Structure formats: structure tokens, C-alpha cells
Amino acid sequence: MNKTVLTGIKPTGVAHIGNYFGAIRPAIELANATEGPSYLFLADYHSLTTVKDGASLCEYVKDVACTWLACGLDVKRSIFYRQSDVPGIFELAIILANYTAKGLLNRAHAYKSIVQDAIDRGVDPDHNVNVGLFYYPVLQAADILAFDVDLVPVGQDQKQHIEICADIAKSFNAIHGNVLRVPDVIIKKDVATLPGLDGRKMSKSYGNQIPLFCSESELKKYIKKIVTDSSLPTDPKSTDCLIFQIYKLFATESEVETMANRFKQGIGWGTVKEELFLVANRMISPMREKYEYYINNFEEVEKVLIEGAKKARQVSQKTLERVRKVIGAST
Ligand code: TRP
């Protein structure tokens, strides 16, 4: 494959295992699989819709950067940078806003659901909506279009944003010719919405997540909290349940097969949880060690990000030259 791949991650908290299987790992695999350029970046200005405390944002950025490196992001193959180090993205965003139908943004899920919440609570629909939230998909479109991207691997929840991006690029191209490359989205379907401890989608807002890099004893505690039914250890169990689904992510094929048989014969939930801990910790612990190294040696990470931003600025500058020319701005 010789495609340009890009994905962004919004730093708003520590990564959980849903992020790992749904976003981080597929993005790294794709970045490694392409011969073309690949871009991975920390979308720190996207966090501003909710994170207003500078020190927290810094911490989140640091955490996400270390997480991606610990998970195996190869910075020789991928350009890794902070969005806020690449001003061309924001210039492009403000231009693209003029090619974006307001109705397109009215239909964006995140915005719509906040408005719906307000309506349901009987308060003004604009309550709690800042323009940054409304404009969020435009900024995301600029993140992508600045780099002539072919593929954007994301979780299901981001699909609409990539479609909006493609729409914006088409509107721009309809007027100015083939200036912007229209991207495709790739969704990693099987793990797109990994359920959390309680069976609902794993998400910070539900408080049902298993953090990727907590200590071993915390990991054990989280696993104990996974909701199971009240069947007895001797009862045969269906593999169509939350804990088996999580087990499958960490275990080898033959371990999964063995576990499925034990489910049929009857197995106690406590035993399943112990086995899950073993396979989960086996996969996580080498990454956890790297993560701790990067957190304690952040100056190395900082260097990588600054190098990445240099390259990202060069590429985005080229796109902006094309764009500025066709819209009639100063070149
Ligand atoms: N909105 C994405 C999220 O919340 C993060 C993101 C920002 C992104 N810009 C992007 C993802 C560009 C893919 C491409 O997860």
C-alpha cells in the first residue's frame, strides 16, 4: 500500500483499553503497513472545547504522547507532532469555514447531542455550547486536508467527522478545481465500540473504563469489577458476554478456544477474571514499562514532537500555498 495515512488523538485524559484496541493499535498497524507518509498527531486544540485548564491540558498531551510511543509508534516511519505546533492547520480551518454549510455542522453528532440534552432539560438549546464545539469538525477537516491524506483510521464515533471533512473538501474543489485531496475513512469494525466494565461503551464519561497503564494491582481490581451474571461456577456459560469479549482481545487463538470449552463445561467467574488478568497483564506490562520510561524522560519525547512538527509545517505549508493562491490571498 502506498497511501498517506493520518490520525489524530484528542488528549482529554488517560488512555483506556478501548482506545488501545479501537484507535491506537489499528492506527499504528496501518502506519507501519503503508509505504506512503503517515501522520499521527495530538489534537490539543480540539481538547479546548472541554479542557480549560492549561496545566491539565499539558499533562494530557504528555500522557498521550508517551502512551503512543509506548504502544509502538515508530517515529522513523510516522510524523508525530502536536497540532498546536502547526499554525497552518488553523489558517486552513478559517478558510474552510467559508466552504462549510452551517447545516452540515448542525447535523454533527457531538453538537446535536448537547443541544438535545439542553432541550430535554428544558433549558436554552445554546446552553453549554461554545462556538469551538460547533466548529470542531471544521478544525478536524483542516487537520486532514492540510496533509493530502488518503486514509483516516478512526473509531466508529469519528466516522461522521471524516465524512464532513470529505464534504468540505468537495465543496472547496467544486469551486477551485482539484486542490484538496478527499480522504477515505477506515473503521476498525470488530473492536469499534469495546464495552466498558458495565457493558456500555467504554468511555470516560461513564466512568466504566479500564485504564491502559495502571498498576498491576489496579488492573486486577478493574477486572474484578467487570459485570457478570449470577450463574454458579458449575453452570455452563455462553461466550456471548462482556468478559469473554474482553478476554478475546488479549488472548491467543488457542487460549480463546480453550476458554470457550471451559465456558461450556462451567467455570467460575472468579477464575475467568484471574485468567483475564494474566493475559491482559502479559500484553500490557512491556508497554507499561516503556510508558513509565517516557514519562520520566519526557525531554526525549519533546524532541521527537518538535522534529515532527517541523516536517508537518513543511507539508502543510505546501497545501496552504495552493489554497492561498486559488482563493486570492497573499502568496
Ligand atoms: N476528533 C478526534 C477524536 O475525538 C480527534 C481528531 C482530531 C482526529 N483531528 C483528527 C482524528 C483528524 C482523525 C483525524 O478522537
Side-chain angles (χ1 to χ4, degrees):
M1 185 180 69
N2 192 9
K3 304 255 184 197
T4 302
V5 178
L6 172 143
T7 202
I9 183 146
K10 182 170 65 165
T12 51
V14 299
H16 55 67
I17 64 165
N19 298 137
Y20 177 69
F21 289 106
I24 302 175
R25 195 173 70 174
I28 291 177
E29 278 170 1
L30 197 63
N32 289 342
T34 186
E35 319 263 296
S38 87
Y39 300 91
L40 285 146
F41 72 97
L42 309 163
D44 49 355
Y45 279 7
H46 275 108
S47 302
L48 288 179
T49 56
T50 52
V51 183
K52 298 289 197 293
D53 169 46
S56 302
L57 185 58
C58 262
E59 274 312 299
Y60 296 151
V61 165
K62 189 172 165 182
D63 191 85
V64 173
C66 295
T67 298
W68 279 70
L69 291 173
C71 291
L73 174 65
D74 178 356
V75 293
K76 289 195 199 77
R77 305 178 74 137
S78 297
I79 300 170
F80 189 42
Y81 56 97
R82 248 178 319 229
Q83 184 189 36
S84 57
D85 282 329
V86 188
I89 294 171
F90 312 108
E91 183 184 342
L92 183 58
I94 211 82
I95 297 169
L96 293 176
N98 300 282
Y99 297 81
T100 306
K102 180 167 177 285
L104 194 62
L105 302 185
N106 285 341
R107 289 191 292 276
H109 298 317
Y111 168 70
K112 244 172 85 176
S113 91
I114 257 197
V115 170
Q116 194 55 49
D117 269 6
I119 293 171
D120 292 348
R121 282 184 298 128
V123 298
D124 187 287
D126 287 341
H127 185 75
N128 262 344
V129 180
N130 62 56
V131 176
L133 175 75
F134 187 66
Y135 185 77
Y136 187 110
V138 181
L139 180 54
Q140 185 156 346
D143 288 333
I144 298 167
L145 299 175
F147 297 95
D148 292 331
V149 172
D150 298 303
L151 298 175
V152 187
V154 284
Q156 179 68 33
D157 63 328
Q158 291 299 311
K159 183 166 176 260
Q160 190 195 30
H161 285 151
I162 315 306
E163 287 163 357
I164 292 175
C165 169
D167 278 351
I168 295 174
K170 284 179 199 157
S171 306
F172 189 92
N173 288 348
I175 297 172
H176 297 295
N178 222 358
V179 177
L180 299 172
R181 192 177 302 174
V182 181
D184 267 334
V185 58
I186 296 191
I187 309 287
K188 185 98 168 99
K189 282 215 176 52
D190 47 347
V191 288
T193 45
L194 179 72
L197 298 168
D198 57 359
R200 290 187 295 174
K201 180 189 169 198
M202 189 174 289
S203 152
K204 193 178 150 202
S205 48
Y206 293 147
N208 64 354
Q209 35 179 356
I210 305 178
L212 182 57
F213 297 133
C214 53
S215 68
E216 285 190 9
S217 61
E218 279 171 320
L219 181 61
K220 221 176 250 173
K221 262 192 234 151
Y222 277 107
I223 289 176
K224 280 203 184 118
K225 280 197 239 164
I226 297 173
V227 173
T228 49
D229 64 23
S230 54
S231 59
L232 297 171
T234 44
D235 292 339
K237 292 172 169 54
S238 160
T239 53
D240 186 15
C241 64
L242 178 58
I243 195 159
F244 193 80
Q245 211 177 328
I246 300 178
Y247 183 81
K248 270 204 308 208
L249 294 170
F250 290 105
T252 64
E253 257 175 57
S254 75
E255 285 166 341
V256 172
E257 215 175 285
T258 310
M259 186 56 85
N261 281 328
R262 292 173 77 186
F263 265 58
K264 255 186 237 154
Q265 287 154 13
I267 181 171
W269 289 123
T271 314
V272 180
K273 287 180 177 180
E274 275 163 30
E275 299 274 336
L276 171 58
F277 169 74
L278 290 177
V279 290
N281 196 49
R282 179 182 67 195
M283 188 189 285
I284 292 172
S285 64
M287 298 194 285
R288 188 195 292 125
E289 270 171 38
K290 281 194 204 156
Y291 170 79
E292 274 156 17
Y293 172 84
Y294 287 124
I295 287 281
N296 294 323
N297 297 277
F298 193 71
E299 55 309 333
E300 286 182 30
V301 180
E302 189 64 41
K303 246 189 235 157
V304 166
L305 292 174
I306 289 183
E307 266 315 296
K310 238 187 242 166
K311 291 183 200 150
R313 280 197 296 268
Q314 280 165 5
V315 178
S316 58
Q317 224 32 58
K318 291 236 167 73
T319 311
L320 271 160
E321 277 165 24
R322 281 185 342 245
V323 168
R324 290 170 70 118
K325 188 161 168 230
V326 296
I327 63 170
S330 160
T331 50

